[in-house]
mmCIF file of all heavy atoms in Angstrom:
data_model
loop_
_atom_site.group_PDB
_atom_site.id
_atom_site.type_symbol
_atom_site.label_atom_id
_atom_site.label_comp_id
_atom_site.label_asym_id
_atom_site.label_seq_id
_atom_site.Cartn_x
_atom_site.Cartn_y
_atom_site.Cartn_z
ATOM 1 N N PRO L 203 -45.074 -75.687 62.007
ATOM 2 C CA PRO L 203 -46.115 -74.845 62.552
ATOM 3 C C PRO L 203 -45.690 -73.405 62.780
ATOM 4 O O PRO L 203 -46.493 -72.484 62.717
ATOM 5 C CB PRO L 203 -46.498 -75.525 63.876
ATOM 6 C CG PRO L 203 -46.056 -76.933 63.687
ATOM 7 C CD PRO L 203 -44.814 -76.854 62.855
ATOM 8 N N SER L 204 -44.386 -73.184 63.076
ATOM 9 C CA SER L 204 -43.935 -71.825 63.403
ATOM 10 C C SER L 204 -42.489 -71.578 62.942
ATOM 11 O O SER L 204 -41.715 -72.532 62.792
ATOM 12 C CB SER L 204 -44.014 -71.613 64.909
ATOM 13 O OG SER L 204 -42.934 -72.300 65.551
ATOM 14 N N PRO L 205 -42.141 -70.321 62.761
ATOM 15 C CA PRO L 205 -40.754 -69.991 62.409
ATOM 16 C C PRO L 205 -39.757 -70.439 63.484
ATOM 17 O O PRO L 205 -38.650 -70.854 63.171
ATOM 18 C CB PRO L 205 -40.748 -68.459 62.287
ATOM 19 C CG PRO L 205 -42.162 -68.111 61.973
ATOM 20 C CD PRO L 205 -43.004 -69.125 62.721
ATOM 21 N N GLY L 206 -40.180 -70.376 64.743
ATOM 22 C CA GLY L 206 -39.293 -70.792 65.828
ATOM 23 C C GLY L 206 -38.884 -72.243 65.706
ATOM 24 O O GLY L 206 -37.716 -72.609 65.918
ATOM 25 N N GLN L 207 -39.828 -73.098 65.334
ATOM 26 C CA GLN L 207 -39.504 -74.515 65.171
ATOM 27 C C GLN L 207 -38.573 -74.733 64.000
ATOM 28 O O GLN L 207 -37.686 -75.583 64.066
ATOM 29 C CB GLN L 207 -40.817 -75.306 65.002
ATOM 30 C CG GLN L 207 -41.595 -75.417 66.296
ATOM 31 C CD GLN L 207 -43.007 -75.835 66.064
ATOM 32 O OE1 GLN L 207 -43.783 -75.128 65.431
ATOM 33 N NE2 GLN L 207 -43.377 -77.023 66.602
ATOM 34 N N ALA L 208 -38.749 -73.947 62.946
ATOM 35 C CA ALA L 208 -37.828 -74.048 61.791
ATOM 36 C C ALA L 208 -36.407 -73.619 62.193
ATOM 37 O O ALA L 208 -35.447 -74.269 61.824
ATOM 38 C CB ALA L 208 -38.340 -73.185 60.637
ATOM 39 N N MET L 209 -36.320 -72.563 62.996
ATOM 40 C CA MET L 209 -35.003 -72.077 63.418
ATOM 41 C C MET L 209 -34.320 -73.102 64.321
ATOM 42 O O MET L 209 -33.132 -73.380 64.162
ATOM 43 C CB MET L 209 -35.148 -70.743 64.158
ATOM 44 C CG MET L 209 -35.566 -69.601 63.217
ATOM 45 S SD MET L 209 -35.958 -68.076 64.081
ATOM 46 C CE MET L 209 -34.331 -67.616 64.688
ATOM 47 N N GLU L 210 -35.050 -73.644 65.268
ATOM 48 C CA GLU L 210 -34.486 -74.667 66.160
ATOM 49 C C GLU L 210 -33.998 -75.870 65.367
ATOM 50 O O GLU L 210 -32.938 -76.429 65.646
ATOM 51 C CB GLU L 210 -35.517 -75.105 67.199
ATOM 52 C CG GLU L 210 -35.831 -74.062 68.248
ATOM 53 C CD GLU L 210 -36.945 -74.468 69.192
ATOM 54 O OE1 GLU L 210 -37.411 -75.637 69.086
ATOM 55 O OE2 GLU L 210 -37.321 -73.662 70.017
ATOM 56 N N THR L 211 -34.795 -76.282 64.402
ATOM 57 C CA THR L 211 -34.434 -77.420 63.589
ATOM 58 C C THR L 211 -33.170 -77.136 62.769
ATOM 59 O O THR L 211 -32.302 -77.979 62.652
ATOM 60 C CB THR L 211 -35.579 -77.777 62.623
ATOM 61 O OG1 THR L 211 -36.742 -78.067 63.418
ATOM 62 C CG2 THR L 211 -35.224 -79.008 61.795
ATOM 63 N N SER L 212 -33.052 -75.915 62.244
ATOM 64 C CA SER L 212 -31.854 -75.548 61.472
ATOM 65 C C SER L 212 -30.596 -75.689 62.330
ATOM 66 O O SER L 212 -29.595 -76.260 61.886
ATOM 67 C CB SER L 212 -32.005 -74.112 60.977
ATOM 68 O OG SER L 212 -30.906 -73.722 60.185
ATOM 69 N N VAL L 213 -30.669 -75.196 63.546
ATOM 70 C CA VAL L 213 -29.523 -75.304 64.463
ATOM 71 C C VAL L 213 -29.252 -76.781 64.807
ATOM 72 O O VAL L 213 -28.101 -77.239 64.795
ATOM 73 C CB VAL L 213 -29.763 -74.479 65.755
ATOM 74 C CG1 VAL L 213 -28.671 -74.740 66.779
ATOM 75 C CG2 VAL L 213 -29.829 -73.001 65.401
ATOM 76 N N ALA L 214 -30.300 -77.514 65.120
ATOM 77 C CA ALA L 214 -30.135 -78.920 65.478
ATOM 78 C C ALA L 214 -29.583 -79.746 64.328
ATOM 79 O O ALA L 214 -28.739 -80.614 64.521
ATOM 80 C CB ALA L 214 -31.479 -79.509 65.946
ATOM 81 N N LEU L 215 -30.012 -79.461 63.109
ATOM 82 C CA LEU L 215 -29.479 -80.162 61.929
ATOM 83 C C LEU L 215 -27.998 -79.846 61.728
ATOM 84 O O LEU L 215 -27.222 -80.719 61.386
ATOM 85 C CB LEU L 215 -30.262 -79.802 60.661
ATOM 86 C CG LEU L 215 -31.593 -80.512 60.497
ATOM 87 C CD1 LEU L 215 -32.361 -79.898 59.314
ATOM 88 C CD2 LEU L 215 -31.406 -82.011 60.303
ATOM 89 N N ASN L 216 -27.616 -78.593 61.963
ATOM 90 C CA ASN L 216 -26.229 -78.244 61.861
ATOM 91 C C ASN L 216 -25.384 -79.000 62.895
ATOM 92 O O ASN L 216 -24.320 -79.540 62.564
ATOM 93 C CB ASN L 216 -26.026 -76.743 62.041
ATOM 94 C CG ASN L 216 -24.569 -76.350 62.006
ATOM 95 O OD1 ASN L 216 -23.943 -76.192 63.026
ATOM 96 N ND2 ASN L 216 -24.057 -76.197 60.796
ATOM 97 N N ARG L 217 -25.890 -79.108 64.092
ATOM 98 C CA ARG L 217 -25.170 -79.849 65.142
ATOM 99 C C ARG L 217 -25.089 -81.350 64.811
ATOM 100 O O ARG L 217 -24.084 -81.998 65.086
ATOM 101 C CB ARG L 217 -25.848 -79.643 66.475
ATOM 102 C CG ARG L 217 -25.636 -78.254 67.015
ATOM 103 C CD ARG L 217 -26.303 -78.073 68.363
ATOM 104 N NE ARG L 217 -25.990 -76.752 68.890
ATOM 105 C CZ ARG L 217 -26.638 -76.195 69.905
ATOM 106 N NH1 ARG L 217 -27.598 -76.856 70.514
ATOM 107 N NH2 ARG L 217 -26.299 -75.007 70.328
ATOM 108 N N LEU L 218 -26.146 -81.889 64.211
ATOM 109 C CA LEU L 218 -26.165 -83.318 63.866
ATOM 110 C C LEU L 218 -25.261 -83.626 62.684
ATOM 111 O O LEU L 218 -24.543 -84.621 62.717
ATOM 112 C CB LEU L 218 -27.611 -83.748 63.536
ATOM 113 C CG LEU L 218 -27.759 -85.175 62.950
ATOM 114 C CD1 LEU L 218 -27.483 -86.215 64.042
ATOM 115 C CD2 LEU L 218 -29.159 -85.360 62.360
ATOM 116 N N THR L 219 -25.309 -82.780 61.669
ATOM 117 C CA THR L 219 -24.672 -83.112 60.402
ATOM 118 C C THR L 219 -23.390 -82.341 60.079
ATOM 119 O O THR L 219 -22.612 -82.770 59.255
ATOM 120 C CB THR L 219 -25.634 -82.865 59.234
ATOM 121 O OG1 THR L 219 -25.915 -81.442 59.157
ATOM 122 C CG2 THR L 219 -26.923 -83.637 59.392
ATOM 123 N N GLY L 220 -23.196 -81.179 60.713
ATOM 124 C CA GLY L 220 -22.092 -80.312 60.354
ATOM 125 C C GLY L 220 -22.364 -79.518 59.077
ATOM 126 O O GLY L 220 -21.467 -78.823 58.585
ATOM 127 N N ILE L 221 -23.557 -79.607 58.553
ATOM 128 C CA ILE L 221 -23.933 -78.874 57.354
ATOM 129 C C ILE L 221 -24.469 -77.487 57.766
ATOM 130 O O ILE L 221 -25.323 -77.406 58.645
ATOM 131 C CB ILE L 221 -25.007 -79.625 56.539
ATOM 132 C CG1 ILE L 221 -24.460 -81.006 56.100
ATOM 133 C CG2 ILE L 221 -25.470 -78.817 55.347
ATOM 134 C CD1 ILE L 221 -25.517 -81.924 55.538
ATOM 135 N N ALA L 222 -23.954 -76.461 57.138
ATOM 136 C CA ALA L 222 -24.460 -75.095 57.412
ATOM 137 C C ALA L 222 -25.725 -74.858 56.577
ATOM 138 O O ALA L 222 -25.716 -75.069 55.364
ATOM 139 C CB ALA L 222 -23.392 -74.068 57.055
ATOM 140 N N PHE L 223 -26.804 -74.450 57.234
ATOM 141 C CA PHE L 223 -28.076 -74.218 56.569
ATOM 142 C C PHE L 223 -28.463 -72.751 56.584
ATOM 143 O O PHE L 223 -28.276 -72.064 57.595
ATOM 144 C CB PHE L 223 -29.181 -75.028 57.215
ATOM 145 C CG PHE L 223 -29.144 -76.496 56.950
ATOM 146 C CD1 PHE L 223 -28.563 -77.372 57.848
ATOM 147 C CD2 PHE L 223 -29.632 -77.010 55.771
ATOM 148 C CE1 PHE L 223 -28.497 -78.732 57.584
ATOM 149 C CE2 PHE L 223 -29.563 -78.358 55.468
ATOM 150 C CZ PHE L 223 -28.999 -79.223 56.393
ATOM 151 N N THR L 224 -29.010 -72.307 55.462
ATOM 152 C CA THR L 224 -29.707 -71.025 55.391
ATOM 153 C C THR L 224 -31.181 -71.372 55.338
ATOM 154 O O THR L 224 -31.608 -72.133 54.454
ATOM 155 C CB THR L 224 -29.281 -70.266 54.111
ATOM 156 O OG1 THR L 224 -27.873 -70.027 54.160
ATOM 157 C CG2 THR L 224 -30.031 -68.952 53.980
#
Side-chain angles (χ1 to χ4, degrees):
S204 74
Q207 288 163 296
M209 291 172 68
E210 289 176 5
T211 303
S212 182
V213 172
L215 282 171
N216 178 263
R217 289 180 175 166
L218 172 70
T219 65
I221 299 169
F223 286 98
T224 299

